[in-house]
Structure formats: C-alpha cells, structure tokens
Amino acid sequence: MITLKVKDLSKNFGSTEVLKKINLEIEEGNFLVLLGPSGCGKSTLLNIIAGLETIDEGTVFIDDYNVSEVEPKDRNIAMVFQSYALYPSMNVKENMVFGLKQSKTSKEKIEEQLKKVSNFLHVDELLNRKPSQLSGGQRQRVAIGRALVREPRIFLFDEPLSNLDAKLRVEMRREIKKLHQKLKTTVVYVTHDQTEAMSLGTNIAIMNHGVIQQYDTPENIYNRPNNTFVADFIGSPAMNLISGQLVKDGNNTSFIPEDSNQSNNISIKNYNFIKPLDGSGTDVLFGIRPEHIHYKKANDTDYEINLRADLNEYIGHEQIATFNYYNQEVLGKFPSTVKIETNKEMKLFFDLNQISIFDKKTNNRI
Ligand code: ADP
Ligand code: MG
C-alpha cells in the first residue's frame, strides 16, 4: 500500500525554481531518505509534505487522500527538526505531551502514551528537567519522543542528527534504525550525509537543484548510479570517472582512455549496456570505485595493469592511493596492510563487473 505520494510537485520562491516536477511514492513502512547537497530543496519538499509550506503546482496524497489543502495538524504526521524546537520553559514531560493536549486527548491516554514512549526512549529519568538541562543526545530523544507519543501515520525528520558530534551521531543513527525496525512506521528523512542515507533508507531519493536524480534502493544507487551526479555524490572517495572513448570492433567493445595509445584499451564485452551502442567513438566517462581496484586478482575478468602511485593516504583501517593513469588521477582503496610505495609502479586489477559507463555529453549512464 502506498502511504505517501507526491505528484508533479513544483515550487518557486520568487523567480527561483526550488522544486521541479517532483514525483515520489512510498510504500507503507518504508524509510525514504531525501539526500542531496545543501540548498537542493530537501527541506522545502519535507515542509510541503508536512503542510508547512504551500504548493505552486502538483499534489500530495496521504493514503490516497489529496491532502494538499489539509492543515498540518490534520495530516496525521509528526515532524522532528534539526533544531529540536523544544519549548525552553517547559520540562520534558510538558514538551512531550504538548501536542496531545492541543488535540484534546484524554488525560488517561496522555499518561499511557507518555509512560510507554519515555520508557521506550529511556527518558523516564529526565521528565522533570528543562531542555537546557539536557545533553544534545537527550534533547534529540525528547524531540523524537514528542513525535512518537502521537502515533502518527508518517514521521518526518529534517536533518535530526546534524547538530550532534560525530560519535553521538552514529549512536543516534543506530537508535533511529532500531526504532523504525520496531515501529515500522513510514518515515521520510532528510539529510545531506550519504552514510546516514545509505544506512537508514530502504529507499533513497537523491536530489540536485530541485530535481530527483535517482529514486532507488541503496544498493542500486551504489552499484548502478543513473548519472555522474549520483556516481560522484555517493561513495568516499568518490567513484573514479576516467575520460575516454568507446570503440566497437565486431562483437567486442573497448574503452580507450584519453591520451593513451590504442594498444592499451580495456575490453568491456561483459558490460550491461542499457541499450545497444549506436556506432563507435562515443565519448564517455568510465566509472570505477576506488574499492573496486584491487591489489590482487579476484576474478578471471579483472583487467590487469601496472600504474605508478603518486600519493598514498594512510587512514588507519585503510589507505587510499592515487595513481597516474595516462595523466588522469585514479584512486584505489586498499587494506592498510598492503605495502604501497610512491613513485613506483604497482600491479593493479580493475574489477570490470563493478564498472559504470556514462555518456560524456549527457552525463547519463549508458
Ligand atoms: P535544503 O533543505 O536542501 O538545504 P531548502 O529546501 O531549505 O534546501 O532550500 C532550497 C532553496 O530554496 C535554497 O536556495 C533556499 O535559499 C531557498 N529557500 C528556502 N526557503 C525559502 C524561503 N522561505 N524564501 C525564499 N527562498 C527560500
Ligand atoms: Mg534543509
């Protein structure tokens, strides 16, 4: 069952087009992440779903009802903000039940919900404290608690972890994941953090300049990016995008890197093109992730080459080496136990089962 549907949604602020014909559907119980760089329109989209922002064109449906004109309080949703937006003069208990009191819930029901949720989130001990007497993580828990007590149809989160330090962020991320596993409520979650998106989302919508670039599972986003924006945005370090040409020769197709001689081509006959290539000589970007360049052979189909390492970055659990590939930088990621000497050639193996190829003109996957 589709819980939330956004259809042909557009939004302008003055002359700025912030959202351009957004289409999204989310199945009941799924965890949708809106991911994209700052300013791409994520919060605007979330606010429109919440009813906090008006629509210029298009429709929002919750459970098949057109809610575009429905007041936020009547949409059966709950939102958790980055700033937590707790009332400073109220204690934790008052903050948590505020929404329920507003909606004239019975006293018994309020007490029951408060008990259940504060126990669940381990905030029982904090009920009499003011927000100023809480740590960042505790405040975040209370903000989530305030949303939980209302048992909404959909949870909306806007960058709820970005004010926390790195360690706490990872802890709270796990808590949100556990919470979703238990409650199985539909979630729409905004973040600019790719790790948060990949680890939490059942589905990810990657946005740029108000357009959804790909709406897919985390696995497909990682393995089969639709275009170079997605390829570059996901992964750290980013996917290598090597400039060159595709050349067809009978049944075989090869990639020839720019500035190389014709003998050094990579046969890609097992690559799964979206549609058959027309003609030869297409300018492309050959995409391979740093983790798919190996120091020892893993598959029969691996492409073997000697490249000079110009730089090596040791980061503890792994190391990232930069190689010179016909004057283009290509990064490889290796376990930190592998010996890499800079200014020396090293034998490398490209895993051709993991590559992506993009048309250089359109930047789309081909
Ligand atoms: P994100 O959450 O992805 O960082 P936003 O949705 O907050 O992006 O903003 C998208 C764009 O819309 C930005 O360029 C921002 O400056 C602009 N914007 C957001 N809200 C308003 C507003 N109320 N008035 C004018 N411009 C706005
Ligand atoms: Mg935002």
Side-chain angles (χ1 to χ4, degrees):
M1 179 172 166
I2 305 290
T3 303
L4 174 71
K5 182 167 153 184
V6 172
K7 192 158 182 287
D8 294 331
L9 186 84
S10 296
K11 173 76 183 174
N12 306 318
F13 285 120
S15 60
T16 323
E17 278 186 280
V18 175
L19 297 173
K20 301 168 197 166
K21 275 212 181 278
I22 298 281
N23 282 289
L24 273 178
E25 277 188 4
I26 168 161
E27 295 261 352
E28 168 141 40
N30 275 4
F31 196 120
L32 163 66
V33 178
L34 303 176
L35 172 68
S38 176
C40 73
K42 307 180 295 294
S43 295
T44 305
L45 178 53
L46 199 74
N47 290 339
I48 286 177
I49 294 169
L52 302 172
E53 189 67 75
T54 57
I55 299 175
D56 287 340
E57 263 176 63
T59 324
V60 176
F61 298 90
I62 294 177
D63 292 332
D64 277 342
Y65 292 105
N66 179 348
V67 296
S68 308
E69 306 291 327
V70 174
E71 289 286 314
K73 67 175 173 44
D74 299 325
R75 290 191 185 195
N76 204 2
I77 50 173
M79 188 144 168
V80 178
F81 298 91
Q82 175 180 355
S83 59
Y84 318 137
L86 298 175
Y87 299 106
S89 61
M90 294 182 191
N91 66 24
V92 166
K93 177 177 170 180
E94 289 157 346
N95 262 291
M96 282 182 45
V97 303
F98 184 77
L100 290 180
K101 275 194 173 156
Q102 291 293 96
S103 60
K104 308 253 183 307
T105 310
S106 74
K107 233 178 158 168
E108 294 73 40
K109 179 75 182 169
I110 291 181
E111 283 301 321
E112 184 193 320
Q113 284 298 90
L114 179 70
K115 203 164 166 203
K116 194 167 86 183
V117 171
S118 53
N119 189 287
F120 183 63
L121 289 173
H122 310 293
V123 294
D124 328 57
E125 311 285 301
L126 309 173
L127 291 178
N128 293 318
R129 291 204 204 163
K130 294 274 172 60
S132 60
Q133 298 166 311
L134 302 174
S135 70
Q138 289 169 334
R139 269 178 226 169
Q140 186 51 267
R141 261 198 206 106
V142 173
I144 292 174
R146 186 172 56 179
L148 276 183
V149 292
R150 297 173 50 199
E151 299 188 324
R153 191 79 182 100
I154 306 175
F155 276 119
L156 306 180
F157 289 90
D158 194 349
E159 311 238 11
L161 307 183
S162 37
N163 284 344
L164 305 176
D165 63 51
K167 188 158 177 284
L168 194 54
R169 199 153 62 218
V170 175
E171 269 171 48
M172 288 301 291
R173 187 176 87 204
R174 287 166 49 83
E175 290 203 15
I176 290 177
K177 179 131 193 166
K178 284 185 198 160
L179 194 79
H180 180 249
Q181 256 177 13
K182 267 195 204 152
L183 300 177
K184 300 193 169 62
T185 309
T186 309
V187 173
V188 185
Y189 185 104
V190 163
T191 182
H192 65 273
D193 181 309
Q194 53 161 313
T195 315
E196 246 172 63
M198 295 294 273
S199 62
L200 286 171
T202 55
N203 306 75
I204 299 176
I206 298 204
M207 295 175 64
N208 193 28
H209 298 310
V211 176
I212 293 179
Q213 305 289 323
Q214 185 163 358
Y215 179 37
D216 221 323
T217 60
E219 290 79 11
N220 281 344
I221 296 252
Y222 179 79
N223 292 316
R224 296 182 57 82
N226 269 352
N227 56 40
T228 52
F229 176 81
V230 177
D232 188 58
F233 197 81
I234 296 288
S236 176
M239 184 184 277
N240 294 296
L241 294 171
I242 307 166
S243 258
Q245 274 195 342
L246 288 187
V247 173
K248 264 171 100 163
D249 179 13
N251 278 337
N252 194 15
T253 302
S254 300
F255 171 74
I256 304 176
E258 232 165 66
D259 293 341
S260 78
N261 54 43
Q262 297 276 327
S263 61
N264 280 315
N265 52 22
I266 305 179
S267 166
I268 53 158
K269 57 177 178 291
N270 294 327
Y271 182 75
N272 214 344
F273 283 99
I274 293 174
K275 60 181 176 55
L277 269 188
D278 40 329
S280 198
T282 318
D283 287 326
V284 295
L285 294 164
F286 176 99
I288 183 163
R289 295 196 179 279
E291 54 271 40
H292 297 141
I293 296 180
H294 303 299
Y295 66 99
K296 58 182 183 200
K297 194 167 182 146
N299 308 290
D300 282 346
T301 50
D302 284 355
Y303 172 73
E304 186 179 328
I305 187 169
N306 287 316
L307 294 181
R308 190 186 75 220
D310 285 342
L311 190 75
N312 191 33
E313 297 166 90
Y314 173 82
I315 36 179
H317 65 299
E318 61 190 15
Q319 55 188 335
I320 294 153
T322 305
F323 299 95
N324 181 313
Y325 182 59
Y326 300 107
N327 298 323
Q328 299 191 58
E329 283 195 340
V330 169
L331 277 61
K333 197 193 263 190
F334 309 98
S336 40
T337 45
V338 178
K339 188 160 175 55
I340 297 176
E341 286 183 69
T342 44
N343 298 316
K344 260 183 101 170
E345 290 218 328
M346 178 175 170
K347 187 168 280 199
L348 296 173
F349 300 89
F350 289 9
D351 185 347
L352 298 183
N353 296 323
Q354 306 283 355
I355 59 170
S356 291
I357 295 179
F358 304 97
D359 186 314
K360 207 172 179 175
K361 280 200 285 293
T362 62
N363 285 322
N364 288 329
R365 184 186 194 87
I366 56 173

